[in-house]
Amino acid sequence: MKYEFPKNFWWGAATSGPQAEGSFNKPHKNMFNYWYEIEPEAFFDKVGPEVTSNFYHSYKEDLAMMKNLGFNSFRTSIQWSRLIDDFETASVNEDGLNFYNNVIDESLKLGITPVMNLHHFDLPYDLYKEYGGWESKYVVDLYAKFAKKCFELFADRVKNWITFNEPIVVVEGGYLYNFHYPKITDGKRAVQVGYNLNLASAKAIKEFKDGGFDKAGGRIGIVLNLTPSYPRSNEKKDVEAADFADLFFNRMFLDTAVKGKFPEKLVEILKVNSVIWDSTEEELDLISKSTVDYLGINYYQPRRIKAKEEAFDNSKGWLPDKHFDNYIMPGRRMNTYRGWEIYPKAMYDIAINIKKNYNNIPWYISENGMGVEGEEKFMNKDGMVEDKYRTDFIKEHLEYLHKGIEEGSNCLGYHLWTPIDCWSWSNAYKNRYGFIALDLKTQKKTIKESGYWFKELTKNNGF
Ligand code: BGP
C-alpha cells in the first residue's frame, strides 16, 4: 500500500533553542542553566546545557544537512534569555538578534519554512528569582512584551508562530511531579501556573493580532502534548477517572486555546476542591477573544488510566492524582529506553478528536519520535547508525495519521523530534532521537539510516 500525503505537507523536525544552541553568549540564565549550576548530578552523566549540539555556531551546516534530508519546514525556539537584555523594557541583545536573524534568513534561503516557538520550558531564571516565575502575572505581562518584540523583529519573514511548547509540562515538571526545577509539589500553585500560562499565550496572541501580523500572512498557535487518556475498562469509574485526566492534562490548554474557554467540568472540580485559580473577568474575556489559528500536537505515548484504588494521601493537599490512578496495561508495547508506551493508533484518535470536537482546526504533528540509548551499538562499519526501529516507528505512526487525514482531519504536516540528536532536560544525551547522530566529543554529525529513508519519503511525499 502506498501512503500519499496532501500537497505541501510539512516534512521536517523540531528542536528548541535551549536544547540545540548551547549557552554561548547568552545574556541571562534560564531555569535549566541555573538548575545545572546548583545540581549537576541531576543530569545524565552530569552533562549540562552549555554546549548541547552547538547550533549557535553550526546553524548553517546543520540547516544544510536538514535541507539535504528534504526538509521543507523546521521548528526551533527563540530563547527569551538570549534575545532580551532588559526584561522590563524588552530591550534587544545585539548578538541574540543577529543570531536569530541569521537562522531565519538561512532557513528561508534554503527553502525551509521556519516555525518559531517562544517558550520551550526556558523561563529566564531571574524572572523566577525576582517575581516567582509563572506563578506571577507580572511575568505573564513581561512574556507578552517579549512576544510582541519577536513579532516586530521577525514576523516580516517568520509566518508560523507558536506561543508555548507543552505548557502542561511546566505545570507537571515544576509544580507537581518534581522533574523540572523548581521541583515544587503544590496542587494549588500548579493550577495557578496552568492558568497563567494560558493567559500568557492569549496575551501573546492578542499582541499578534493587534499588531496586524495575521493580516500580513502570519498565523499563531500553540504546541500541546495531547496524550490521549484511555480508561482501563468501560466501567463508569474508570471512564470518569480517564475523563478527569483528559480535562486536567489536555483540555485545560486545548479548549482554552481553540475555544477560548476552560472546560466547565474542570473549573467545577477545581472549585469544589478549593484550588481554583485566581482570575478576573477581564482576563477571561481576553482569553475568550484570543484563540489560536492552528495547533501543533506532540505525540509520544498514551495515558492509561484507572479509577483510584487506594485512598488518596492528603498530606500534600490536593493533587490531580486524587481523581485517578495510572494504569499499567498488561502486554503494553514499550520503548524501554525512555519508559514510554508505543501506541501508534493514538495518532488516528487525535486526528479524529480534533476534527470532531475542535472545529477541524488546522494542525500538524509538531513532535513524535523514539529516544534510544546507546545507539552507537547500531553503528555499521561506515559509521552510520542503522536505526530501522526508528523508521518502523515513524511508518507505523504515519499510517495512522494518514487514515485520519483520509477521513478529513485537517493535518498540515509531520515533524519528528528531532533533526540532530539534541540535549534533553535531565536526560541530557542519554536517549537519542535524531535523523542525524551527534558525536558529543567531536561534534561530528552523521546522517542515520532513518535520515536517508526520510529523504526518500520527502521526495515522494509519502512512502
Ligand atoms: C517533549 C519536549 C522536547 C523533547 C521531547 C523528548 O516533551 O517538547 O523538548 O525533550 O519531549 O523527550 P525527552 O527529551 O524527555 O526524552
Side-chain angles (χ1 to χ4, degrees), residues 19 120-121 165-166 298 300 338 340 367 417 424-425 427 433:
Q19 292 173 275
H120 204 120
F121 313 156
N165 177 80
E166 300 188 351
N298 295 352
Y300 290 90
R338 187 59 180 85
W340 284 349
E367 287 181 33
W417 183 266
S424 156
W425 319 118
N427 275 331
Y433 285 87

Side-chain angles (χ1 to χ4, degrees), residues 180-378:
H180 285 183
Y181 192 78
K183 298 195 284 177
I184 289 163
T185 303
D186 187 316
K188 174 132 175 72
R189 291 167 73 182
V191 163
Q192 190 65 49
V193 168
Y195 175 84
N196 288 356
L197 289 166
N198 270 298
L199 180 62
S201 179
K203 286 199 171 180
I205 293 171
K206 185 173 182 327
E207 291 295 351
F208 193 76
K209 309 243 153 142
D210 287 354
F213 298 106
D214 53 340
K215 300 211 171 62
R219 61 179 163 188
I220 188 156
I222 191 166
V223 164
L224 302 177
N225 48 321
L226 292 187
T227 305
S229 276
Y230 299 104
R232 168 180 55 184
S233 75
N234 288 331
E235 272 176 42
K236 192 164 168 249
K237 274 182 157 179
D238 285 338
V239 172
E240 273 173 10
D243 188 43
F244 174 82
D246 188 39
L247 283 169
F248 191 87
F249 297 107
N250 297 328
R251 294 183 52 198
M252 188 191 338
F253 288 94
L254 178 60
D255 285 35
T256 318
V258 179
K259 300 177 177 170
K261 211 171 165 321
F262 289 98
E264 271 163 30
K265 208 164 157 195
L266 175 68
V267 171
E268 204 183 292
I269 297 171
L270 298 177
K271 275 189 183 157
V272 168
N273 286 280
S274 310
V275 288
I276 189 69
W277 43 66
D278 148 38
S279 63
T280 67
E281 280 309 312
E282 200 188 338
E283 289 165 358
L284 292 171
D285 184 57
L286 188 148
I287 288 173
S288 76
K289 291 182 180 135
S290 311
T291 53
V292 296
D293 301 321
Y294 75 120
L295 277 176
I297 297 183
N298 295 352
Y299 171 68
Y300 290 90
Q301 55 165 345
R303 195 186 285 275
R304 308 264 175 208
I305 297 289
K306 62 182 180 185
K308 212 120 204 95
E309 290 187 336
E310 276 165 42
F312 174 65
D313 166 14
N314 224 350
S315 60
K316 291 189 183 125
W318 179 89
L319 291 173
D321 312 58
K322 180 177 172 186
H323 307 275
F324 67 91
D325 273 345
N326 290 308
Y327 171 53
I328 315 248
M329 185 179 75
R332 64 192 181 147
R333 185 176 148 202
M334 291 295 287
N335 168 2
T336 48
Y337 306 105
R338 187 59 180 85
W340 284 349
E341 183 183 338
I342 300 178
Y343 185 64
K345 178 173 176 285
M347 292 290 253
Y348 171 76
D349 294 343
I350 288 172
I352 298 305
N353 182 26
I354 297 298
K355 181 185 162 202
K356 264 192 20 208
N357 302 317
Y358 295 91
N359 315 325
N360 208 11
I361 189 171
W363 68 284
Y364 80 111
I365 286 289
S366 39
E367 287 181 33
N368 172 233
M370 188 182 183
V372 172
E373 186 172 0
E375 274 201 320
E376 54 289 344
K377 64 177 172 281
F378 301 106

